[in-house]
Amino acid sequence: MLENLVTYDAGMSDEQVSALYRRTMSSGRARLAEVLGGQVEVESSGAWLTTSDGRRLLNVGGYGVLISGARHPIVVAEVERQLHRHPVGTRIFLDPVAARAAELLTSVTPPGLTRVHFSGSGAEAVEAAIKIARLNGRRHLVAMTGGYHGKTLGALSVTAKDAFREPFHPLLPGVSHVPFGDVQALTAVLRQHPGECCVIVEPVQGEGGVVIPPEGYLGDVRAVCSEYGALLVADEVQTGLGRLGAWWGVDLEGVRPDILLSGKALGGGVMPVAATIATEETFAVLDRDPVLHTSTFSAAPIAMAAVCGAIRAIREDDLVGRAARLGERLTPELRRITAAGLVHQRHEVRGLGLLIGIEFADPATAIELFMALVAHDVVANVSLSSDHVVRLTPPATLGESEIAFLLERFERAVALVAEQNPEYEVHADA
């Protein structure tokens, strides 16, 4: 067997990479990559991604991870320093980098959210929240239709897409789903289970297709949770840390949840890390037994260095303010281009900060636009729970030339989709 091993080096071909995926990882993933042209990504910097053949693509995808761009120098410096000093801890002694990361993180959360459990992914952060809720006597979970919270069994129980859920039934018992934005439906469930519920909600549904709730919705959710003794969990794994043009989506309505979830951007685009942040009262159940909920790599020093770097970068570069201003520029321009280029195709462009969605009536058009963007050197995402929405999550570090590149290439991609579908009729001004 050893003689058949392929060792990676700079000369490794794309075909060899694909063959290794098929042989040792996911053949389905390899097939999907082939549909996108068989590209192999090998380098990233700022807003740019480089493939093995030297092609550079503007990365406005990344599932919300890269609010500070790739390899931000502040984050890299923090991680490099820790890498050469003490990357992984014993889990026996205390670690100063973890303490510093928790202090920095709680300095930017809503007041009263002062206790942190670190983990490796957003789904793990959701799992921790569910366990904390159960320890607090809230065993009935209430989530929103269209919501996405991860694919581990607990997180999948509150994720609302049947295609992800059905192969793994039975999931957790005692779970209700109510329409996102419908406070009356939520109230009806909480009224049936007073003092027993944990409500998990995203300020804006990202994987659900960039669904923005009615104004005042989060405040109403907070009020009804308080009225019926429910714990409120705000899942800000994708929306937090500046993505919506505020540190947190809940800040836009002055809401303080009992538990706040963070991830994606928390590792500064360098390390995978997430966090479950709770009030003192809510978190106290974990203080009783320090080994009740643990994991080997929770608060690993190298990940904690990335957290410190990420928060420093967001603060020092004013990425929250930049996200708000960039979103105000980009969304109207994307709306104008789409409307001019696809006159007879029903669509909607919506966004908050740098979480932007382009929704089509026909899922095929969304895939065509996604593919056309890749063909024009722009990486976007198709929403996991809404296959008719193309999602853009650009870094807040975009410069003027990169903004111009994005808009020009987006316009070209729209024109290509229209050319392939004459019934959409390209507008004369496009």
Side-chain angles (χ1 to χ4, degrees):
M1 287 294 294
L2 288 177
E3 61 270 20
N4 295 323
L5 286 176
V6 177
T7 302
Y8 175 79
D9 57 35
M12 187 176 179
S13 70
D14 293 357
E15 291 75 18
Q16 286 176 308
V17 174
S18 180
L20 283 174
Y21 262 79
R22 289 178 179 276
R23 193 169 81 229
T24 63
M25 295 175 64
S26 167
S27 60
R29 181 70 179 80
R31 289 194 302 273
L32 179 60
E34 287 174 3
V35 171
L36 296 173
Q39 301 291 329
V40 174
E41 58 185 73
V42 296
E43 187 177 345
S44 58
S45 179
W48 297 91
L49 185 70
T50 304
T51 61
S52 56
D53 59 1
R55 182 183 174 195
R56 295 180 77 237
L57 298 92
L58 186 70
N59 187 4
V60 296
Y63 297 98
V65 169
L66 300 170
I67 192 69
S68 55
R71 295 197 295 122
H72 191 289
I74 291 176
V75 184
V76 170
E78 291 269 8
V79 171
E80 282 187 338
R81 186 182 306 113
Q82 195 63 38
L83 175 65
H84 294 292
R85 184 174 183 176
H86 183 53
V88 178
T90 65
R91 302 289 295 157
I92 299 297
F93 305 121
L94 302 182
D95 172 52
V97 189
R100 177 174 167 237
E103 181 184 40
L104 278 172
L105 180 55
T106 56
S107 75
V108 298
T109 56
L113 292 167
T114 59
R115 305 294 297 280
V116 184
H117 173 79
F118 286 108
S119 54
S121 71
E124 289 180 74
V126 173
E127 296 286 344
I130 292 172
K131 292 176 76 173
I132 291 170
R134 284 194 165 193
L135 288 173
N136 277 281
R138 273 61 165 211
R139 294 181 169 270
H140 191 95
L141 301 173
V142 187
M144 310 302 153
T145 303
Y148 182 89
H149 305 287
K151 292 175 181 169
T152 54
L153 282 180
L156 191 58
S157 299
V158 288
T159 293
K161 182 157 181 162
D162 289 340
F164 296 150
R165 293 164 52 88
E166 287 176 358
F168 303 104
H169 284 165
L171 299 173
L172 291 183
V175 178
S176 299
H177 285 93
V178 299
F180 184 58
D182 188 338
V183 177
Q184 289 185 339
L186 174 62
T187 302
V189 174
L190 299 188
R191 189 180 292 126
Q192 293 173 355
H193 305 277
E196 300 175 1
C197 291
C198 171
V199 175
I200 182 167
V201 63
E202 299 159 276
V204 174
Q205 291 187 333
E207 298 297 346
V210 190
V211 182
I212 302 171
E215 186 175 351
Y217 171 67
L218 290 179
D220 291 341
V221 170
R222 172 70 275 179
V224 74
C225 284
S226 297
E227 180 179 356
Y228 290 98
L231 280 184
L232 175 59
V233 178
D235 184 342
E236 298 237 30
V237 169
Q238 183 163 176
T239 59
L241 296 172
R243 177 58 59 188
L244 301 183
W247 273 101
W248 310 96
V250 292
D251 291 344
L252 296 170
E253 293 194 18
V255 168
R256 189 195 77 180
D258 300 293
I259 300 174
L260 178 70
L261 308 182
S262 181
K264 295 191 184 293
L266 187 60
V270 175
M271 293 295 298
V273 61
T276 305
I277 313 145
T279 63
E280 186 86 17
E281 178 184 8
T282 305
F283 194 89
V285 291
L286 286 184
D287 283 334
R288 300 169 192 162
D289 185 346
V291 297
L292 187 61
H293 181 68
T294 62
S295 70
T296 301
F297 294 109
S298 172
I302 196 166
M304 297 299 92
V307 171
C308 295
I311 294 171
R312 280 189 55 208
I314 293 169
R315 269 183 165 156
E316 293 176 24
D317 289 357
D318 185 29
L319 297 186
V320 175
R322 291 176 69 171
R325 293 187 293 273
L326 271 173
E328 289 172 355
R329 287 181 61 185
L330 288 176
T331 300
E333 284 296 297
L334 297 169
R335 188 176 291 131
R336 176 190 62 78
I337 292 168
T338 309
L342 301 174
V343 174
H344 293 306
Q345 168 69 339
R346 287 190 292 124
H347 67 272
E348 181 183 4
V349 180
R350 56 181 178 264
L352 195 57
L354 290 178
L355 181 56
I356 303 167
I358 302 100
E359 178 176 358
F360 296 96
D362 179 11
T365 309
I367 296 297
E368 288 175 355
L369 178 60
F370 171 77
M371 298 287 288
L373 285 167
V374 172
H376 288 91
D377 302 325
V378 174
V379 178
N381 289 126
V382 177
S383 296
L384 289 178
S385 296
S386 184
D387 59 6
H388 52 291
V389 177
V390 175
R391 189 164 81 260
L392 308 183
T393 52
T397 57
L398 289 183
E400 289 300 321
S401 63
E402 292 164 334
I403 294 169
F405 182 93
L406 171 59
L407 294 175
E408 189 265 339
R409 295 306 176 96
F410 184 84
E411 190 159 13
R412 285 198 203 180
V414 167
L416 179 59
V417 172
E419 180 183 330
Q420 294 170 342
N421 299 274
E423 68 274 19
Y424 296 163
E425 184 182 317
V426 181
H427 194 278
D429 296 332

